[in-house]
Amino acid sequence: MKEIDIEKCPFCGGEELIEARIASYGGAYLTPVNKGGLRNAALFATVCRDCGSVVRAYCKEPEKLFHKKDRRP
């Protein structure tokens, strides 16, 4: 996965961004649509400490959303 470097909040210009895991009761996960099965990947966010905006939402292991035979090496 490519690293993405976000230097400041596009909403307020704040430069202190924190990483957080998006959580709900039982966990927040991405699950593939139209693929079926029980595959999922945890969901994370980059949040501006100044205004609280979610600047970016992402999963760290997107390959988990595919069957093992369809994953990239």
Side-chain angles (χ1 to χ4, degrees):
M1 186 170 90
K2 288 183 181 179
E3 290 295 321
I4 297 175
D5 187 22
I6 301 170
E7 295 182 12
K8 62 170 72 175
C9 175
F11 303 103
C12 75
E15 295 182 0
E16 192 169 355
L17 302 174
I18 57 174
E19 299 299 313
R21 183 175 184 149
I22 298 174
S24 65
Y25 182 75
Y29 295 96
L30 293 173
T31 303
V33 177
N34 302 329
K35 296 288 183 184
L38 298 174
R39 296 174 316 279
N40 58 44
L43 191 57
F44 296 85
T46 301
V47 181
C48 175
R49 185 171 180 179
D50 294 329
C51 72
S53 295
V54 175
V55 177
R56 173 179 177 235
Y58 62 97
C59 66
K60 291 182 179 180
E61 300 174 293
E63 290 298 314
K64 282 189 166 187
L65 297 171
F66 296 91
H67 284 290
K68 287 184 180 181
K69 65 181 175 105
D70 295 328
R71 293 180 184 172
R72 293 179 186 163

